[in-house]
């Protein structure tokens, strides 16, 4: 091949790739001057459902009407696409001005220079105290904030009060400890021959996986401490895995798998259909109960603690608001972020979405807390843990999960699984910090 032609190919290929990447990325019009002199900023979210889109767009409309300098334009992107397209837009120098992103990787994005350090804005508008401290910890990188908390969630125990009465249990006294949970579950089991018509409780059904139980059973400690040292193979976590395994042993793995295969949504939901008497779910699960379980008499309670005094620890998640690196109008983006995380907008989001918000005053507003389930979820935030992903172990769950599965399949003991998982993670972290 001619050398000049080769050079042309080498120059053309990256240019084509760049054009394709830019073409796939929604473009912000915020750099264009509006006729009315206002600054237009582009806000990316994945809230496009019939429920959530009108709510976020009402908040945007209220902000636009609240001042005469900034206009916010809402760009909807599907949940699976928004963050990959954001990274492409940052790389191309054409990002949104504001984006909804996740808590777990704020620090990772900051370390890769993908979001904006908010310290200069916080020095002018010190709003840290507006947010739950557990959420604020998760927006920090090197002790500086790179996002503002927007919403969160928490998990609680839902229990069927009618089933409690029929089993001779006090419907106003849900289980408080693991021992009580086991006792109640056995009383709530209903069998016809060898077939369960109702299972009192199974810890891995619902929205509370092995990771969450290991936090609950280890005094609120996750897989890493505050210094990013591994805390995977601990006595508390070993005991928790053994306890989880005992539930499977009691019911039988075939029963567990067969019943789970029957679970569905709506009327066939495990708890709504009466197949399970106690179930762990988020606070927003109440919206399903209101729609499909209108006649269900239920209560909510904190996750039972391992033993009295060890803590009713739950796990949470949620989303933050960020300014992507390279945004054209960061100062205007900051003004909108303050509004979005302020009391008025957060209260509206909480009431309309039945969603836990990050602003403490809005979360604890009496109007939002008229609903007893929402009130319980707000109270539960005090015992809810979130953990950032260590920069040296971004894919750590891919190493831990196979060991957890091996325990349930009887291929590893809890001791073997946790020791091997900790070693795998330590090797990964050592490799990534060379």
């Amino acid at each position: 091949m001619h050398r000049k032609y080769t050079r042309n190919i080498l120059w053309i290929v990256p240019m084509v790739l760049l054009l394709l990447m830019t073409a796939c990325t929604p473009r912000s019009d915020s750099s264009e001057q509006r006729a009315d002199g206002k600054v237009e900023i582009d806000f990316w979210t994945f809230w496009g459902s019939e429920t959530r889109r009108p709510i976020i767009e009402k908040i945007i409309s209220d902000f636009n009407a609240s001042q005469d300098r900034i206009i916010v334009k809402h760009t909807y992107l599907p949940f699976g696409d928004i963050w990959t397209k954001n990274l492409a837009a940052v790389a191309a120098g054409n990002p949104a001005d504001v984006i909804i992103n996740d808590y777990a990787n704020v620090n990772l994005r900051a370390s890769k220079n993908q979001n904006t350090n908010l310290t200069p804005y916080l020095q002018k508008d010190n709003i840290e105290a507006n947010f739950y401290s557990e959420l604020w910890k998760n927006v920090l990188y090197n002790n500086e904030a790179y996002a503002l908390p927007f919403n969160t969630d928490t998990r609680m125990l839902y229990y069927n009060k009618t089933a409690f009465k029929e089993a001779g249990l006090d419907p106003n006294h849900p289980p408080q400890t693991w021992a009580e949970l086991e006792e109640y579950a056995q009383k709530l089991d209903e069998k016809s021959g060898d077939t369960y018509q109702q299972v009192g409780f199974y810890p891995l059904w619902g929205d509370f996986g092995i990771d969450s139980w290991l936090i609950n059973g280890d005094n609120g400690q996750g897989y890493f401490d505050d210094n990013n040292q591994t805390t995977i193979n601990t006595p508390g976590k070993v005991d928790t895995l053994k306890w989880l395994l005992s539930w499977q042993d009691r019911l039988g793995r075939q029963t567990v798998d067969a019943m789970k295969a029957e679970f569905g949504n709506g009327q066939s939901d495990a708890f709504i259909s009466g197949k399970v008497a106690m179930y762990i779910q988020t606070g927003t699960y109440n919206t399903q109960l209101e729609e499909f379980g209108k006649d269900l008499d239920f209560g909510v309670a904190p996750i039972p603690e391992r033993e009295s005094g060890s803590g009713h620890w739950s796990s949470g998640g949620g989303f933050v608001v960020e300014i992507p690196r390279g945004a054209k109008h960061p100062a205007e983006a900051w003004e909108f972020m303050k509004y979005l995380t302020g009391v008025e907008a957060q209260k509206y989001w909480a009431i309309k979405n039945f969603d836990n918000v990050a602003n403490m005053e809005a979360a604890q507003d009496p109007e939002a807390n008229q609903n007893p389930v929402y009130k319980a979820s707000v109270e539960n935030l005090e015992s809810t843990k979130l953990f950032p992903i260590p920069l040296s172990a971004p894919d750590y769950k891919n190493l831990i999960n196979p060991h957890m599965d091996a325990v349930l399949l009887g291929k590893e003991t809890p001791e073997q699984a946790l020791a091997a998982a900790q070693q795998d993670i330590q090797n990964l972290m050592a490799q990534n910090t060379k």
Side-chain angles (χ1 to χ4, degrees):
M1 183 179 289
H2 196 281
R3 187 171 299 173
K4 181 178 179 181
Y5 180 71
T6 304
R7 286 200 300 268
N8 287 342
I9 290 291
L10 292 175
W11 177 81
I12 290 170
V13 168
M15 288 300 296
V16 169
L17 289 175
L18 180 59
L19 287 171
L20 286 173
M21 180 175 67
T22 306
C24 293
T25 304
R27 295 190 62 84
S28 170
D29 296 324
S30 59
S31 59
E32 298 179 5
Q33 182 66 41
R34 289 173 55 93
D36 59 9
K38 295 183 179 181
V39 175
E40 182 173 286
I41 64 174
D42 197 7
F43 175 39
W44 288 12
T45 85
F46 51 85
W47 293 317
S49 69
E50 292 181 3
T51 302
R52 296 207 169 192
R53 188 163 192 158
I55 297 169
I56 193 62
E57 291 189 345
K58 172 66 164 58
I59 292 173
I60 292 169
S61 176
D62 287 347
F63 172 77
N64 288 341
S66 72
Q67 40 73 51
D68 58 6
R69 296 187 304 106
I70 305 165
I71 290 291
V72 177
K73 180 185 72 174
H74 179 214
T75 296
Y76 160 74
L77 291 163
F79 187 84
D81 296 340
I82 183 170
W83 299 310
T84 54
K85 290 189 175 181
N86 173 55
L87 295 181
V90 170
N94 186 42
D97 295 287
V98 185
I99 188 171
I100 297 295
N101 223 314
D102 72 300
Y103 280 103
N105 287 304
V106 172
N107 58 345
L108 179 63
R109 292 188 293 276
S111 73
K112 294 180 177 294
N113 207 26
Q114 294 165 351
N115 51 13
T116 300
N117 189 331
L118 301 180
T119 299
Y121 305 106
L122 287 164
Q123 288 173 344
K124 179 171 64 79
D125 301 307
N126 186 9
I127 57 176
E128 174 184 345
N130 294 351
F131 305 103
Y132 287 96
S133 60
E134 184 70 15
L135 303 181
W136 189 258
K137 287 192 304 184
N138 281 264
V139 302
L140 302 180
Y141 172 67
N142 289 339
N143 293 317
E144 294 184 305
Y146 282 76
L148 292 182
F150 179 76
N151 68 344
T152 187
D153 57 22
T154 186
R155 283 132 186 89
M156 301 179 293
L157 182 73
Y158 289 76
Y159 63 98
N160 187 321
K161 289 188 173 184
T162 302
F164 266 48
K165 294 173 186 175
E166 292 173 351
L169 297 168
D170 184 349
N172 297 313
H173 183 79
Q176 299 298 305
T177 63
W178 287 6
E180 282 192 346
L181 185 61
E182 293 178 71
E183 176 191 346
Y184 283 31
Q186 292 184 39
K187 290 182 178 179
L188 289 161
D189 285 345
E190 292 182 2
K191 294 181 72 174
S192 176
D194 294 331
T195 303
Y196 282 88
Q197 306 300 316
Q198 174 179 279
V199 169
F201 181 73
Y202 184 68
L204 299 180
W205 290 340
D207 194 4
F208 207 70
I210 291 178
D211 289 356
S212 299
W213 279 113
L214 294 178
I215 295 168
N216 178 275
D218 199 17
N219 303 306
Q221 178 62 60
Y223 289 136
F224 306 92
D225 64 17
D226 291 339
N227 298 313
N228 280 339
Q229 298 300 306
T230 52
T231 52
I232 298 169
N233 187 20
T234 66
K237 290 185 175 66
V238 170
D239 289 344
T240 301
L241 264 188
K242 289 180 177 178
W243 181 76
L244 291 173
L245 195 57
S246 73
W247 286 86
Q248 180 178 270
D249 291 343
R250 183 175 74 82
L251 294 174
R253 198 168 80 217
Q254 287 185 334
T255 298
V256 171
D257 292 342
M259 290 197 69
K260 186 176 181 180
E262 297 177 3
F263 298 163
N265 298 315
Q267 296 288 353
S268 58
D269 172 85
F271 184 68
I272 293 172
S273 65
K275 292 177 180 176
V276 181
M278 296 185 290
Y279 203 51
I280 294 178
Q281 269 289 358
T282 62
T284 53
Y285 180 62
N286 186 59
T287 58
Q288 293 185 52
L289 295 173
E290 288 181 344
E291 183 175 358
F292 300 107
K294 291 183 173 62
D295 299 325
L296 188 62
D297 185 14
F298 70 92
V300 290
I303 308 295
E305 53 189 344
R306 187 189 69 240
E307 57 193 15
S308 182
S310 64
H312 296 272
W313 298 108
S314 184
S315 60
F319 299 99
V320 302
V321 197
E322 288 180 346
I323 303 174
R325 184 72 175 178
K328 301 295 188 298
H329 300 290
E332 288 79 9
W334 171 253
E335 291 303 313
F336 176 57
M337 287 170 64
K338 284 194 302 178
Y339 183 88
L340 198 59
T341 58
V343 174
E344 182 180 348
Q346 291 265 288
K347 178 182 172 182
Y348 184 77
W349 182 268
I351 291 173
K352 294 297 183 179
N353 275 316
F354 205 80
D355 199 10
N356 289 115
V357 290
N359 184 295
M360 288 190 293
E361 183 179 344
Q364 296 164 12
D365 183 88
E367 184 180 356
N369 282 263
Q370 287 178 357
N371 184 292
V373 177
Y374 187 81
K375 185 175 187 295
S377 73
V378 171
E379 293 170 352
N380 211 53
L381 292 177
E382 297 296 332
S383 300
T384 301
K385 304 288 286 186
L386 286 78
F387 298 98
I389 296 175
L391 299 179
S392 57
D395 300 320
Y396 74 92
K397 287 191 176 181
N398 292 334
L399 297 179
I400 292 178
N401 291 342
H403 292 294
M404 303 301 101
D405 293 339
V407 171
L408 296 178
L409 293 171
K411 295 180 178 180
E412 293 181 16
T413 66
E415 292 90 346
Q416 291 170 337
L418 290 169
Q422 176 147 311
Q423 188 61 58
D424 289 347
I425 299 304
Q426 289 175 343
N427 291 343
L428 173 68
M429 296 176 80
Q431 180 179 343
N432 287 339
T433 53
K434 285 181 180 179

